[in-house]
Amino acid sequence: SGVAQDFTSPVTYTVTAEDLSTQPWTVTVSIATGINNISNINFKVYPNPFNDEILLDGISQNCKVSIQSINGQVLIEKIITNQDNRINTQSLKSGVYIITIINDNGKRITKKMLKE
């Protein structure tokens, strides 16, 4: 309709099918606002900017880490543990990358990082 909607509460729409039957659809919007809302992940990802490796400190469980190009192509994937907390990034060119870290409980953080 081109009209702005307030989604602070669920909004119900009536959807009409090609055969003119109708059905209500309720839309609920939630926004992930970043690391501060994820209480079960509490560690550091550094340095930023980085050169040949990225370090993760404070890991108490296995975490899956992926590094993607700015357009979403997965370039590196690795399981990080408290014994093996380094990611070799020598194969990456200089530029901006997105690092996504997911713990065993499915909690995730995403961080933008720069390779010099």
Side-chain angles (χ1 to χ4, degrees), residues 24 28 34 47 58 60-61 73 78-79 86 94 98 110 115-116:
T28 303
S60 59
Q61 57 185 321
Q73 179 184 11
K78 183 175 181 180
I79 300 297
R86 296 173 184 267
S94 296
I98 306 298
T110 301
K115 179 163 184 182
E116 294 184 315

Side-chain angles (χ1 to χ4, degrees), residues 62 67-69 74 87 109:
N62 293 344
I67 298 176
Q68 302 99 30
S69 64
V74 176
I87 302 171
I109 62 169

Side-chain angles (χ1 to χ4, degrees), residues 6-58:
D6 179 1
F7 289 101
T8 54
S9 298
V11 176
T12 301
Y13 293 95
T14 301
V15 178
T16 304
E18 188 175 359
D19 66 2
L20 300 180
S21 62
T22 60
Q23 183 171 350
W25 286 87
T26 302
V27 177
T28 303
V29 176
S30 60
I31 300 172
T33 57
I35 192 168
N36 294 334
N37 287 343
I38 302 176
S39 59
N40 291 341
I41 297 181
N42 186 21
F43 54 83
K44 296 178 188 174
V45 181
Y46 65 95
N48 193 12
F50 63 95
N51 287 307
D52 292 335
E53 69 180 6
I54 295 173
L55 300 167
L56 289 88
D57 277 348

Side-chain angles (χ1 to χ4, degrees), residues 88-107:
N88 183 323
T89 58
Q90 291 177 339
S91 64
L92 301 177
K93 296 178 183 177
S94 296
V96 177
Y97 294 91
I98 306 298
I99 183 168
T100 302
I101 304 153
I102 305 171
N103 71 6
D104 286 342
N105 297 326
K107 302 287 185 178

